[in-house]
Every structure is written in structure tokens, then in C-alpha cells.
Amino acid sequence: MSGIFKSPAFENAVVQFDRACESLGLEDWLKERLRYPQRTLVVNCPVRMDNGKIKVFSGYRVQHNLTLGPCKGGIRYHPDVDMGEVASLAMGMSWKCGLAELPFGGAKGGVSVDPRELSLNELERLTRRYTVEILPIIGPNKDIPAPDMGTNPQTMAWMMDTYSMTEGYTTPAVVTGKPTLIGGSLGREEATGYGVAYTIEDALRHFGKTLPGSKVAIQGFGNVGTHTAIKLAEMGCSIVAVSDVYGGIYNPSGLPVDKLLDIMKQKGKIQEFKNADKITNEEILKTQCDILLPAAIGRVITKENASQLRCKMVVEGANGPTTAEADDILEERGIPVVPDILANAGGVIVSYFEWVQGLQEYYWSTDMVFAELQKRMHGMFEKVSNYANEKRVSLRIAALMLGINRVAQAKKLRGLYP
Ligand code: GLU
């Protein structure tokens, strides 16, 4: 493996890729090409901090492939961000866009920074400088960033403004996940979480269960975790455990989602909610529940804890929360895993709607966004579960096979240049 990508995240992505390729029968050169990104950019961003000192932050943008259209993928601000992690996430975006049949290749970007330690002004200066550094490779027809962990609509507003100022005209389609006032799509904020909830409904039905009364444990109460919780509560599920970066809470008789949202808004920590037991982020993975939803960081379900999980199903809201070794243990235990590229694809699907709306300067209603999202999520689950049955493989391998094959076949059709 090329040394610059060496990291547990990238190794895991490659193992999953190789497993999915086993029965695809792709030519060697295609596998070799798709195992690595097409293009990577490393940047170092000097930023004037509020105390007058200048600090340098390392950033990345990785484009995995541009075969089916411009690259698409989020920007992550997190202290663990490195080239290997960003490359693994970019690869995941390729398979996700392929599976969702979107006209995009996969990309991902990130800055190694803890955004909680920066003021709003520092974050703005970092974002603008990072945008300028990656400017040569982004654009509405080249590569379209979006929010990911640690970034949000405000980050996208700064990116869009920086890009537009250098172009000389407003270019809404250069990023997605913007505030609606400046060209963001209605429903984009909720899209990933709602998509996860629609997928949970499908997965339960597929395994002969129903949604009302199902108990759900959610690790991570950011954009994905909160909107999944809201939708699931609306659909009649009981949210029994929730955690954020500081720790979690558990109440087997269910937690009031609206109150949890208030607590997060007012106090910023879920453990400030008193009517529940306090648990750790490791303990939440082992709570008794029907559905475990890891919706925070990667590689939390590992060979060390997979045998102790007490859920009936894992649904991946986060990207890459389950290691390949843990996948094997869960499969042996008969615990199905609904993979990230299927479960959390709602975000990039509505990003696609936002991009289309931006290019056309014609904006959709919320009802239209959610109806179209729901239709696509249901269609995708059906496609993956049928393929998994037909090929006798897990949902993860089926989803990856479908995503990888679409990119590979498009590559073959286009042929080699020069
Ligand atoms: N960061 C999100 C993901 O991992 C969304 C990407 C996008 O909307 O482009 O799917």
C-alpha cells in the first residue's frame, strides 16, 4: 500500500473493497486504479489567531474518481484527520454516489483541527484560507464540498463566498449544505438523519419486524443523530440511549427527544439531562436495544467489543463505524449491519438536489425534497437487499458491489485517455 495513505481507516476501506471485488470479476487494472484515489492535495493553512499569533493547520482534499461527474464529498474538521482517513472517506463517497446512482465521483476533505477550540472568527479565517488553498481543484463542475463532522452550513457559506469572490460572481453550486437563504436546499439539514430513519423502517420490515416500539441507541448527537432521533420518535420508536462526545445517557423506558434537543441547545452536553443513567461512549454500544446507530466517529465497533453488542441490528449513520473484523463477528452472531453507504446516503442525495437547484437557480419545496429522498432511499434499500439475497452476501458487500461496479463499468465504457 502506498505509504502516504497508511492508516487504520484506509486499510479498512481497502479490505472492504477487496472483499466486495471478490466476485465482481473486474480486470486487475481497474481494481488497482480504484483501490487508490485519482488525485490528492495536501495544503498548509496559516491562520491569524485572535491572540495575534499565527498557527498553521494541515488540510487535505482527496478526489477518488471523476468518472461519472464532478467529485462530491464533505469537509471534516477533526483532530484525527489525516491523509489516510480522508482517502478512505473519499473512496466511500465514490461507492455511495455509485450506489445512489448520482452523477458524481467521490471526494473528501478535511483539516486537522479541533473546531471546539477555535473562536468563530478563527474558524472563518481557517475556512477561507483552506478554501483558497484547494481552489484550483474545486468548482461546480469539478468538485463540490459539503458539510461533514465538525463543519456546518456556516462553514459552507464561507466557502461559497470565498470561491465566489475569486470568480467574481455568486456561484451557489460550488458547495452544498449551505444556508437556504444563499441557495441551500430545503431539507438538506435533516436529509441524512431522515434518510437513516427511512432505511431503519425498511430494514426492520425486511427482517420481519416493525418500527413502533423498537428500541434505539444512538451514539453521537450531531446532525445525523439528532435528525434520526426526531424522525424515529415521530415514527413511534423509543430512543433508549443517546451520547455525545462527552458521554451518554440511558433510560430503558425511553428518552424524550424534544427535551434532549433543548438540553443540547442550552447546555451543549447530553449528560445535563438528569432523568436517565449516565453511561460512557463505550457502554452505549453495549446497551440492550433493537437498533444500534453509531452516528459519530469511525471504527468504534471493533473486534474487541463486537462480541458484547446486545442489539439486534446495527445501522451505520457514521462513515466507517464498523471494522472489517467486527463485521465478521457480527455476521457470525447473526446481527445484520446496514452499511454506511446505504444508510447515510440521504445527505449526499439531497446535496445532489441542492447542486441541481443551484445550477438551475430554481428551488424546490420541502415536500418535493422529502418525497424524492424517500423514494430514492426505499429504492436503494430494495436494490441492495435483493442483490444481497441473490448473491448470498451481506448488505455491506451487496451495497459495495453495486457501487463499485457502477464506477468500474463507467470507466470501461469511457476507456483510457490518452
Ligand atoms: N459528508 C456527507 C457524507 O459523508 C455528505 C457529503 C455530501 O453531501 O456531499 O455523505
Short mmCIF file of all heavy atoms in Angstrom, two decimals, residues 288-324:
data_model
loop_
_atom_site.label_atom_id
_atom_site.label_comp_id
_atom_site.label_asym_id
_atom_site.label_seq_id
_atom_site.Cartn_x
_atom_site.Cartn_y
_atom_site.Cartn_z
N GLN A 288 -28.74 -2.82 25.65
CA GLN A 288 -29.76 -3.72 25.11
C GLN A 288 -30.72 -2.89 24.26
O GLN A 288 -31.34 -1.96 24.78
CB GLN A 288 -30.52 -4.34 26.28
CG GLN A 288 -31.54 -5.35 25.88
CD GLN A 288 -31.09 -6.75 26.27
OE1 GLN A 288 -30.56 -6.94 27.36
NE2 GLN A 288 -31.30 -7.70 25.40
N CYS A 289 -30.83 -3.21 22.99
CA CYS A 289 -31.73 -2.43 22.13
C CYS A 289 -32.02 -3.23 20.86
O CYS A 289 -31.39 -4.26 20.60
CB CYS A 289 -31.11 -1.09 21.77
SG CYS A 289 -29.52 -1.24 20.95
N ASP A 290 -32.96 -2.74 20.07
CA ASP A 290 -33.22 -3.39 18.78
C ASP A 290 -32.23 -2.88 17.74
O ASP A 290 -31.72 -3.65 16.94
CB ASP A 290 -34.66 -3.10 18.33
CG ASP A 290 -35.66 -3.71 19.28
OD1 ASP A 290 -35.63 -4.94 19.44
OD2 ASP A 290 -36.45 -2.96 19.91
N ILE A 291 -32.03 -1.55 17.76
CA ILE A 291 -31.15 -0.96 16.75
C ILE A 291 -30.06 -0.13 17.41
O ILE A 291 -30.35 0.76 18.22
CB ILE A 291 -31.95 -0.07 15.78
CG1 ILE A 291 -32.90 -0.95 14.95
CG2 ILE A 291 -31.05 0.71 14.84
CD1 ILE A 291 -34.19 -0.33 14.72
N LEU A 292 -28.84 -0.44 17.05
CA LEU A 292 -27.71 0.40 17.49
C LEU A 292 -27.31 1.27 16.31
O LEU A 292 -27.04 0.77 15.21
CB LEU A 292 -26.54 -0.50 17.91
CG LEU A 292 -25.25 0.27 18.24
CD1 LEU A 292 -25.42 1.15 19.47
CD2 LEU A 292 -24.09 -0.72 18.47
N LEU A 293 -27.29 2.58 16.57
CA LEU A 293 -26.96 3.52 15.49
C LEU A 293 -25.68 4.27 15.84
O LEU A 293 -25.73 5.27 16.56
CB LEU A 293 -28.11 4.52 15.31
CG LEU A 293 -27.88 5.62 14.27
CD1 LEU A 293 -27.94 5.06 12.86
CD2 LEU A 293 -28.91 6.73 14.42
N PRO A 294 -24.52 3.80 15.37
CA PRO A 294 -23.32 4.61 15.56
C PRO A 294 -23.39 5.79 14.59
O PRO A 294 -23.45 5.59 13.38
CB PRO A 294 -22.17 3.64 15.22
CG PRO A 294 -22.79 2.57 14.38
CD PRO A 294 -24.26 2.54 14.65
N ALA A 295 -23.42 7.00 15.14
CA ALA A 295 -23.59 8.20 14.29
C ALA A 295 -22.54 9.25 14.66
O ALA A 295 -22.82 10.44 14.65
CB ALA A 295 -25.00 8.75 14.44
N ALA A 296 -21.35 8.76 15.01
CA ALA A 296 -20.30 9.72 15.37
C ALA A 296 -19.04 9.40 14.57
O ALA A 296 -19.05 9.54 13.35
CB ALA A 296 -20.04 9.66 16.87
N ILE A 297 -18.01 8.96 15.25
CA ILE A 297 -16.73 8.75 14.56
C ILE A 297 -16.61 7.33 13.98
O ILE A 297 -17.46 6.48 14.21
CB ILE A 297 -15.54 9.02 15.51
CG1 ILE A 297 -15.70 8.22 16.79
CG2 ILE A 297 -15.41 10.50 15.79
CD1 ILE A 297 -14.48 8.26 17.69
N GLY A 298 -15.51 7.10 13.26
CA GLY A 298 -15.27 5.80 12.63
C GLY A 298 -14.65 4.79 13.59
O GLY A 298 -14.15 5.14 14.65
N ARG A 299 -14.72 3.51 13.18
CA ARG A 299 -14.05 2.41 13.85
C ARG A 299 -14.34 2.32 15.35
O ARG A 299 -13.44 2.17 16.16
CB ARG A 299 -12.54 2.46 13.59
CG ARG A 299 -12.19 2.24 12.13
CD ARG A 299 -10.72 2.18 11.85
NE ARG A 299 -9.96 3.18 12.58
CZ ARG A 299 -9.95 4.49 12.35
NH1 ARG A 299 -10.69 4.98 11.39
NH2 ARG A 299 -9.22 5.29 13.07
N VAL A 300 -15.62 2.40 15.73
CA VAL A 300 -15.98 2.25 17.15
C VAL A 300 -16.44 0.83 17.45
O VAL A 300 -16.34 0.37 18.58
CB VAL A 300 -17.08 3.26 17.57
CG1 VAL A 300 -16.54 4.67 17.62
CG2 VAL A 300 -18.31 3.18 16.67
N ILE A 301 -16.95 0.12 16.43
CA ILE A 301 -17.32 -1.29 16.63
C ILE A 301 -16.16 -2.12 16.10
O ILE A 301 -15.87 -2.11 14.89
CB ILE A 301 -18.65 -1.63 15.92
CG1 ILE A 301 -19.75 -0.69 16.43
CG2 ILE A 301 -19.03 -3.09 16.16
CD1 ILE A 301 -21.09 -0.86 15.76
N THR A 302 -15.47 -2.77 17.02
CA THR A 302 -14.19 -3.41 16.69
C THR A 302 -14.21 -4.88 17.09
O THR A 302 -15.17 -5.35 17.69
CB THR A 302 -13.05 -2.72 17.46
OG1 THR A 302 -13.33 -2.90 18.87
CG2 THR A 302 -12.98 -1.23 17.17
N LYS A 303 -13.09 -5.56 16.81
CA LYS A 303 -13.05 -6.99 17.21
C LYS A 303 -13.05 -7.12 18.74
O LYS A 303 -13.42 -8.15 19.27
CB LYS A 303 -11.84 -7.69 16.59
CG LYS A 303 -10.48 -7.28 17.08
CD LYS A 303 -9.45 -8.21 16.44
CE LYS A 303 -8.05 -8.13 16.98
NZ LYS A 303 -7.39 -6.85 17.02
N GLU A 304 -12.70 -6.05 19.44
CA GLU A 304 -12.71 -6.10 20.91
C GLU A 304 -14.12 -6.07 21.49
O GLU A 304 -14.39 -6.72 22.49
CB GLU A 304 -11.90 -4.92 21.51
CG GLU A 304 -10.39 -5.15 21.56
CD GLU A 304 -9.74 -5.00 20.20
OE1 GLU A 304 -10.22 -4.16 19.41
OE2 GLU A 304 -8.77 -5.75 19.92
N ASN A 305 -15.03 -5.29 20.89
CA ASN A 305 -16.35 -5.17 21.53
C ASN A 305 -17.50 -5.82 20.73
O ASN A 305 -18.61 -5.91 21.23
CB ASN A 305 -16.68 -3.70 21.85
CG ASN A 305 -16.72 -2.82 20.60
OD1 ASN A 305 -16.82 -3.33 19.49
ND2 ASN A 305 -16.62 -1.52 20.79
N ALA A 306 -17.23 -6.29 19.50
CA ALA A 306 -18.33 -6.79 18.66
C ALA A 306 -19.06 -7.97 19.30
O ALA A 306 -20.27 -8.13 19.12
CB ALA A 306 -17.81 -7.19 17.28
N SER A 307 -18.35 -8.77 20.09
CA SER A 307 -19.00 -9.93 20.70
C SER A 307 -19.87 -9.51 21.89
O SER A 307 -20.65 -10.30 22.39
CB SER A 307 -17.94 -10.94 21.15
OG SER A 307 -17.08 -10.30 22.04
N GLN A 308 -19.72 -8.26 22.34
CA GLN A 308 -20.50 -7.81 23.51
C GLN A 308 -21.72 -6.96 23.14
O GLN A 308 -22.45 -6.52 24.01
CB GLN A 308 -19.60 -7.01 24.45
CG GLN A 308 -18.46 -7.83 25.04
CD GLN A 308 -17.33 -6.93 25.51
OE1 GLN A 308 -17.57 -5.95 26.19
NE2 GLN A 308 -16.12 -7.26 25.12
N LEU A 309 -21.91 -6.69 21.85
CA LEU A 309 -23.06 -5.88 21.44
C LEU A 309 -24.34 -6.63 21.78
O LEU A 309 -24.41 -7.85 21.61
CB LEU A 309 -23.00 -5.61 19.93
CG LEU A 309 -22.40 -4.28 19.48
CD1 LEU A 309 -21.08 -3.99 20.15
CD2 LEU A 309 -22.25 -4.20 17.98
N ARG A 310 -25.37 -5.88 22.26
CA ARG A 310 -26.62 -6.54 22.62
C ARG A 310 -27.80 -6.00 21.79
O ARG A 310 -28.93 -5.98 22.25
CB ARG A 310 -26.88 -6.38 24.13
CG ARG A 310 -25.87 -7.19 24.97
CD ARG A 310 -26.27 -7.23 26.42
NE ARG A 310 -26.15 -5.92 27.04
CZ ARG A 310 -26.86 -5.52 28.09
NH1 ARG A 310 -27.75 -6.31 28.62
NH2 ARG A 310 -26.67 -4.31 28.60
N CYS A 311 -27.48 -5.56 20.59
CA CYS A 311 -28.54 -5.05 19.70
C CYS A 311 -28.95 -6.17 18.74
O CYS A 311 -28.23 -7.16 18.60
CB CYS A 311 -28.01 -3.86 18.91
SG CYS A 311 -26.55 -4.27 17.94
N LYS A 312 -30.06 -5.94 18.04
CA LYS A 312 -30.48 -6.95 17.05
C LYS A 312 -30.02 -6.56 15.65
O LYS A 312 -30.04 -7.37 14.73
CB LYS A 312 -32.01 -7.08 17.09
CG LYS A 312 -32.50 -7.47 18.49
CD LYS A 312 -33.81 -8.22 18.45
CE LYS A 312 -34.24 -8.68 19.82
NZ LYS A 312 -35.12 -7.71 20.50
N MET A 313 -29.64 -5.26 15.50
CA MET A 313 -29.22 -4.79 14.19
C MET A 313 -28.35 -3.54 14.37
O MET A 313 -28.59 -2.76 15.29
CB MET A 313 -30.48 -4.41 13.39
CG MET A 313 -30.23 -4.08 11.94
SD MET A 313 -31.69 -3.33 11.18
CE MET A 313 -32.94 -4.54 11.43
N VAL A 314 -27.33 -3.39 13.52
CA VAL A 314 -26.52 -2.17 13.53
C VAL A 314 -26.86 -1.39 12.27
O VAL A 314 -26.90 -1.96 11.17
CB VAL A 314 -25.00 -2.49 13.53
CG1 VAL A 314 -24.17 -1.21 13.39
CG2 VAL A 314 -24.61 -3.25 14.80
N VAL A 315 -27.13 -0.11 12.42
CA VAL A 315 -27.36 0.75 11.26
C VAL A 315 -26.32 1.87 11.32
O VAL A 315 -26.26 2.60 12.31
CB VAL A 315 -28.81 1.31 11.25
CG1 VAL A 315 -29.02 2.22 10.05
CG2 VAL A 315 -29.83 0.18 11.24
N GLU A 316 -25.52 1.96 10.27
CA GLU A 316 -24.38 2.89 10.32
C GLU A 316 -24.76 4.29 9.85
O GLU A 316 -24.88 4.54 8.66
CB GLU A 316 -23.24 2.34 9.45
CG GLU A 316 -22.71 1.00 9.94
CD GLU A 316 -21.49 0.53 9.16
OE1 GLU A 316 -21.38 0.83 7.95
OE2 GLU A 316 -20.63 -0.15 9.77
N GLY A 317 -24.93 5.19 10.81
CA GLY A 317 -25.18 6.59 10.49
C GLY A 317 -23.87 7.29 10.17
O GLY A 317 -23.78 8.14 9.29
N ALA A 318 -22.82 6.93 10.90
CA ALA A 318 -21.48 7.49 10.67
C ALA A 318 -20.86 6.80 9.46
O ALA A 318 -21.37 5.80 8.99
CB ALA A 318 -20.61 7.24 11.90
N ASN A 319 -19.76 7.35 8.99
CA ASN A 319 -18.99 6.68 7.94
C ASN A 319 -17.95 5.78 8.59
O ASN A 319 -17.20 6.23 9.47
CB ASN A 319 -18.31 7.71 7.05
CG ASN A 319 -19.29 8.45 6.16
OD1 ASN A 319 -20.17 7.84 5.55
ND2 ASN A 319 -19.17 9.76 6.10
N GLY A 320 -17.93 4.52 8.21
CA GLY A 320 -16.92 3.57 8.67
C GLY A 320 -16.89 3.29 10.16
O GLY A 320 -15.81 3.13 10.74
N PRO A 321 -18.06 3.13 10.84
CA PRO A 321 -18.00 2.87 12.28
C PRO A 321 -17.66 1.42 12.64
O PRO A 321 -17.32 1.14 13.79
CB PRO A 321 -19.41 3.22 12.76
CG PRO A 321 -20.28 2.98 11.57
CD PRO A 321 -19.45 3.30 10.36
N THR A 322 -17.74 0.49 11.66
CA THR A 322 -17.52 -0.93 11.97
C THR A 322 -16.28 -1.41 11.23
O THR A 322 -16.19 -1.25 10.00
CB THR A 322 -18.74 -1.77 11.51
OG1 THR A 322 -19.93 -1.12 11.94
CG2 THR A 322 -18.70 -3.17 12.08
N THR A 323 -15.34 -2.03 11.94
CA THR A 323 -14.15 -2.55 11.26
C THR A 323 -14.51 -3.85 10.55
O THR A 323 -15.51 -4.51 10.88
CB THR A 323 -12.99 -2.82 12.24
OG1 THR A 323 -13.38 -3.89 13.11
CG2 THR A 323 -12.64 -1.59 13.06
N ALA A 324 -13.67 -4.24 9.60
CA ALA A 324 -13.94 -5.47 8.84
C ALA A 324 -13.93 -6.69 9.76
O ALA A 324 -14.72 -7.62 9.59
CB ALA A 324 -12.89 -5.62 7.73
#
